[in-house]
Amino acid sequence: MARKKKPLPLLESVTIEAVAAEGKCLFHWEDMVVFVPFCVPGDVCDVQIFRKKHSYAEGEVVRFIKYSNVRAIPFCEHFGICGGCKWQNLPYQEQLKFKQKQVLDQLTRIGKIELPEFRPILGSVKTQEYRNKLDFGCANKRWLTSEQLKDETLVKDTPSIGFHITGAFDKILPIEKCWLMDDLHNQIRNEVRDYAIEHGLSFFDLRQQVGLLRDVIIRNSASGEWMVIFQFHYDRSSQESGDRSQEEAMKLLQHIADKFPQITSLMYLDNQKCNDTIGDQDILVFKGTDHIFELMEDLKFKVGPKSFYQTNTEQAYHLYSVARELAGLTGNELVYDLYTGTGTIANFVAKKARKVIGIEYVPEAIEDAKVNSAINGIMNTLFFAGDMKDILNDEFISNYGSPDVIITDPPRAGMHPDVVKTILHAAPQRIVYVSCNPATQARDLQLMDDLYKVSAVQPVDMFPHTPHVENVVLLEQRS
């Protein structure tokens, strides 16, 4: 006979003590830490524990008794349900304090290396409408709150367009207005939803892998251009069904093209896979071009449907300006730009270097990087596509020269150990490490600590109202 689990307690009148990782806050109870979302330090509240481990527990606020003096009023109607902007209830200057502390804690605790005094974090120019890209899922089932589930008048299984909810992979939280991007994206998304429902288009069922409307990606740029990409899932059960679903998709595309002439790149694909990634998919143009242009300083950058570009355009300029400054370029250096993407950093620093070599995994991004050099008249760049740990080796360095400076901007997982070894073997005078994850950055800094010292640390906030933070570190050879 199975043992009955002991009911988890409701803790009354607890005081939230501090901000923790992943946008949560914490307090202490019975010699363990309790993590709670959607509250701020100083709040007094009742907390229901729903998970208890050996050294920590997780809970949720069921009643606020007293609100903290350090609190902002959330501006979004979806706050508290959507997991995207977990810090809207925290004043922006307080967010910056905690992000600065997060970088310091992770570099100190994980890196365990000598560090200089940190520069003050660079706050984002905008705290609303700062993103240039959003991805919306489409599902035949909407997410419902516990209150909505009790409403018998509410239609439960309504198709929706919005964001996926953690812990409910097959349901979508319907979004009416998101504040992270220019409001035109709200108009486009809501028009897609209204047209699809009015004309009986099927929304994707992730469990059954059926349904036409699967995903909508919206991008814009500082040049005023807009790109919209539709992921469809044509019914392949028969030729007739496939033709009919494709015809429905084309009618939707035409409607959106007519309704929003601002869209300069309207694209689509038929994704029959079990996931929504598009890197290996053929993307077709319905209207306009297969790209838009982003602007930075006096440069233009071609951004395609598969291209990575920093999602906070204005703040990306400040991030790359920091990287360029810390690189200390005089015009005589050979620079390696690792994880170059569409060559944004490579082209941004090229006019201050003798030569820049960019390496990136995605072939389409490398082609865009070459185009970006060409359209800006930059002649001192070379770009290579492939897995970093396979391309960046001793033979490559022997062929193209030992770098004076390496700029590296890896994904959240950080750098592969083989890449770190090759960098150390290449022995550049300076390494500028741009990171979107200070924890993995700290790990990599420790691996290089015997030969390189950290000379500067500059946190940069790219994502207001979230716990995410970018960090730029300058490493210099030890004498």
Side-chain angles (χ1 to χ4, degrees), residues 348-446:
F348 188 70
V349 305
K351 62 184 177 183
K352 291 184 176 290
R354 172 170 56 86
K355 191 174 191 177
V356 183
I357 295 176
I359 306 173
E360 165 63 38
Y361 180 75
V362 181
E364 291 89 351
I366 284 297
E367 292 307 310
D368 284 345
K370 294 175 181 177
V371 171
N372 287 331
S373 287
I375 63 178
N376 289 291
I378 296 171
M379 309 299 292
N380 61 334
T381 56
L382 282 175
F383 295 100
F384 298 89
D387 194 311
M388 191 69 59
K389 62 180 175 58
D390 297 331
I391 287 188
L392 187 64
N393 52 35
D394 294 346
E395 182 181 359
F396 184 93
I397 292 172
S398 176
N399 289 336
Y400 296 99
S402 295
D404 302 297
V405 176
I406 285 180
I407 301 175
T408 180
D409 186 5
R412 290 191 62 80
M415 296 191 292
H416 191 280
D418 290 348
V419 176
V420 175
K421 288 179 183 178
T422 304
I423 290 175
L424 294 176
H425 180 70
Q429 296 172 358
R430 293 179 297 282
I431 302 168
V432 178
Y433 191 148
V434 183
S435 173
C436 60
N437 186 352
T440 55
Q441 183 186 49
R443 177 203 65 201
D444 294 343
L445 295 179
Q446 187 182 59

Side-chain angles (χ1 to χ4, degrees), residues 242-257:
D243 291 343
R244 184 168 58 251
S245 59
Q246 186 171 3
E247 181 181 352
E248 290 175 339
M250 296 304 107
K251 288 181 179 179
L252 169 60
L253 289 168
Q254 188 61 57
H255 175 76
I256 296 301

Side-chain angles (χ1 to χ4, degrees), residues 42-228:
D43 282 340
V44 180
C45 47
D46 295 341
V47 174
Q48 175 65 58
I49 303 297
F50 64 82
R51 181 176 294 113
K52 185 178 178 183
K53 300 293 185 180
H54 292 294
S55 59
Y56 74 93
E58 295 181 70
E60 59 183 0
V61 176
V62 295
R63 182 172 71 103
F64 284 98
I65 299 170
K66 179 183 176 183
Y67 287 118
S68 169
N69 294 328
V70 184
R71 170 176 279 274
I73 298 174
F75 50 81
C76 179
E77 64 184 281
H78 305 294
F79 176 77
I81 306 172
C82 170
C85 299
K86 297 178 180 178
W87 277 2
Q88 279 187 28
N89 55 0
L90 197 62
Y92 187 55
Q93 289 305 312
E94 294 298 315
Q95 296 179 28
L96 294 179
K97 289 180 185 178
F98 288 116
K99 292 187 182 193
Q100 178 101 2
K101 183 177 183 297
Q102 175 187 335
V103 174
L104 175 62
D105 288 349
Q106 292 179 327
L107 264 58
T108 303
R109 177 173 49 84
I110 300 172
K112 295 181 176 66
I113 55 176
E114 183 181 355
L115 296 167
E117 183 177 351
F118 286 20
R119 297 181 178 188
I121 187 170
L122 291 179
S124 179
V125 178
K126 293 180 178 178
T127 58
Q128 295 179 10
E129 298 188 358
Y130 63 83
R131 287 187 67 99
N132 56 39
K133 180 185 177 185
L134 284 172
D135 191 335
F136 296 98
C138 308
N140 63 338
K141 296 182 180 67
R142 61 171 291 184
W143 169 262
L144 296 169
T145 64
S146 55
E147 290 77 14
Q148 289 171 330
L149 286 170
K150 298 172 186 176
D151 186 352
E152 296 181 357
T153 66
L154 192 66
V155 179
K156 300 299 191 284
D157 289 340
T158 54
S160 301
I161 301 179
F163 295 131
H164 287 277
I165 290 290
T166 303
F169 76 97
D170 63 332
K171 294 184 177 66
I172 289 290
L173 172 68
I175 298 296
E176 185 64 32
K177 179 178 176 65
C178 176
W179 295 77
L180 294 183
M181 198 173 181
D182 183 287
D183 189 60
L184 180 62
H185 93 278
N186 287 313
Q187 300 172 39
I188 294 171
R189 183 195 63 252
N190 292 342
E191 184 66 27
V192 172
R193 176 200 63 200
D194 294 345
Y195 176 94
I197 292 175
E198 180 183 348
H199 291 80
L201 273 60
S202 58
F203 285 59
F204 197 60
D205 185 320
L206 195 54
R207 291 183 182 273
Q208 302 298 322
Q209 293 287 300
V210 295
L212 176 63
L213 197 56
R214 180 169 186 162
D215 191 85
V216 183
I217 301 172
I218 303 177
R219 306 182 82 149
N220 70 341
S221 70
S223 65
E225 297 178 303
W226 286 78
M227 172 185 288
V228 180

Side-chain angles (χ1 to χ4, degrees), residues 273-286:
K273 299 187 306 174
C274 293
N275 62 65
D276 292 334
T277 57
I278 63 174
D280 57 349
Q281 299 287 289
D282 293 327
I283 304 177
L284 305 175
V285 176
F286 181 83

